[in-house]
Amino acid sequence: MKTWTLSKKEIYLIVKFLGGKVLIGISSPFDNPNEMKHAWEETFKKLYAKNLVNYTDEELKFEESFIQAMWVLAKTNLIVEITTDLKGQSLFYFGDEHIIECKKLDNCKFQVYVHSSPDVTWRQVIVPRMLMGLEHLPDRLNQELLLDPIDYNQYIIKRRIHNVDEVIQNNQLNKNSMLLSQFKRAIQRYHYSNRLIIYYKQDDVWNIEGVHVLSSPSYNWTLKMSNQDGCEWLEAKQSSGTNLLQEILSVMERVKVPPKVSKEKTHGI
């Protein structure tokens, strides 16, 4: 497996060099255009020191697997982001033949991996990471809770639901609701809170789908992103076994966008 440690600046500048207009998941490290202009020389020197680029015959020549990986980042129309407990983050950029993972090491650096085909990587890398640490627990209730995504992040940080009355009102529940009681207990005792977000491009517009997986000693929960009356919500429900896996897979099924990457020349630019 090919892998490189790259700074945010290096990734961002190479993607721009290849004509990428948007780099989903990695924000610009530059405060203004002038700062970016002065960073080019330093960036190419660092890439040269890593044997990733050379200047011969009056043109830049990149190491083949490296520039192919950067090309996927620049031209993909499908990205999967996995966040674990609001800390660990990986971005998977889909190409025709490979998936490129950018694993966040800190605020400035990423470890970049070249994985195999999208189908294999989805089944053997992405889905197992979302299910990592989950136990096979039965579900008891099949009702759903509508939750505000911002509030949910706070629940995980604080390990409690700070706005119980608001949740009761939004879901038209009574104060003794078993569904709410079991969700409150799951938040207090959770083991893992993983999030999968899919960014996909259709008709030059970026769209988003996603699901959270919350595990606790009693029940596992999936929280699916939805839009109702123009507002974003998470639809939370208990999930177990194949239902838990199907909730994750259904996010990809709803996207239905085959990843396509242009086949242009990339090794000598």
Side-chain angles (χ1 to χ4, degrees):
M1 179 191 299
K2 285 282 188 177
T3 179
W4 310 275
T5 300
L6 299 171
S7 70
K8 182 188 291 189
K9 286 184 178 180
E10 290 167 345
I11 296 173
Y12 191 85
L13 284 174
I14 292 300
V15 167
K16 288 296 181 182
F17 182 75
L18 295 174
K21 296 180 180 179
V22 177
L23 183 55
I24 297 292
I26 301 178
S27 60
S28 172
F30 303 104
D31 295 327
N32 58 70
N34 287 332
E35 185 182 352
M36 184 169 69
K37 182 171 64 175
H38 294 305
W40 281 104
E41 183 177 355
E42 177 188 1
T43 294
F44 281 113
K45 284 181 179 179
K46 289 182 178 179
L47 294 176
Y48 175 79
K50 298 175 184 178
N51 296 318
L52 296 178
V53 67
N54 206 341
Y55 187 76
T56 58
D57 300 327
E58 298 185 349
E59 70 175 7
L60 289 171
K61 291 189 176 180
F62 292 87
E63 196 275 331
E64 184 69 22
S65 57
F66 167 73
I67 202 62
Q68 289 289 351
M70 294 299 102
W71 193 261
V72 171
L73 267 64
K75 301 299 180 179
T76 187
N77 62 9
L78 182 60
I79 301 117
V80 170
E81 175 187 344
I82 292 179
T83 305
T84 305
D85 289 338
L86 304 178
K87 298 176 184 177
Q89 181 190 60
S90 278
L91 295 142
F92 297 84
Y93 297 83
F94 280 58
D96 292 331
E97 299 175 358
H98 301 284
I99 285 182
I100 310 304
E101 177 186 359
C102 292
K103 182 178 181 180
K104 189 175 182 180
L105 300 179
D106 55 38
N107 289 330
C108 298
K109 289 185 180 180
F110 289 84
Q111 193 73 30
V112 179
Y113 303 88
V114 179
H115 290 285
S116 59
S117 69
D119 180 61
V120 171
T121 304
W122 177 257
R123 288 185 288 105
Q124 297 185 1
V125 179
I126 296 175
V127 170
R129 286 198 197 176
M130 283 297 295
L131 296 175
M132 183 176 60
L134 295 178
E135 298 181 21
H136 180 69
L137 299 171
D139 53 354
R140 180 176 179 182
L141 303 171
N142 59 11
Q143 300 102 309
E144 293 183 349
L145 278 174
L146 284 182
L147 303 170
D148 183 285
I150 296 176
D151 287 339
Y152 176 71
N153 287 339
Q154 290 300 308
Y155 302 160
I156 296 302
I157 293 171
K158 299 177 180 179
R159 286 187 175 268
R160 67 181 182 87
I161 299 177
H162 61 271
N163 59 340
V164 174
D165 290 341
E166 185 177 340
V167 174
I168 289 174
Q169 182 177 359
N170 289 338
N171 290 273
Q172 299 181 340
L173 302 172
N174 61 61
K175 292 187 177 181
N176 298 319
S177 165
M178 181 178 293
L179 179 66
L180 181 56
S181 176
Q182 291 183 358
F183 185 70
K184 286 169 63 178
R185 188 165 178 79
I187 290 292
Q188 292 168 354
R189 305 174 65 202
Y190 86 89
H191 287 158
Y192 297 97
S193 175
N194 300 333
R195 182 184 71 182
L196 181 146
I197 301 292
I198 297 179
Y199 304 92
Y200 63 101
K201 192 175 183 181
Q202 285 183 322
D203 301 323
D204 292 325
V205 176
W206 283 98
N207 303 278
I208 185 171
E209 287 275 357
V211 65
H212 297 248
V213 174
L214 178 73
S215 68
S216 78
S218 50
Y219 302 103
N220 296 318
W221 297 72
T222 55
L223 300 94
K224 183 172 59 179
M225 291 175 57
S226 69
N227 189 295
Q228 298 188 26
D229 299 325
C231 297
E232 293 184 359
W233 296 93
L234 292 176
E235 297 177 356
K237 69 176 182 179
Q238 294 177 9
S239 297
S240 64
T242 55
N243 290 333
L244 185 65
L245 177 61
Q246 186 55 44
E247 283 293 330
I248 297 172
L249 296 178
S250 68
V251 179
M252 179 62 99
E253 291 170 0
R254 290 196 300 274
V255 172
K256 296 180 180 178
V257 178
K260 297 294 181 183
V261 177
S262 176
K263 298 290 188 179
E264 298 180 28
K265 175 185 176 185
T266 57
H267 64 283
I269 299 177

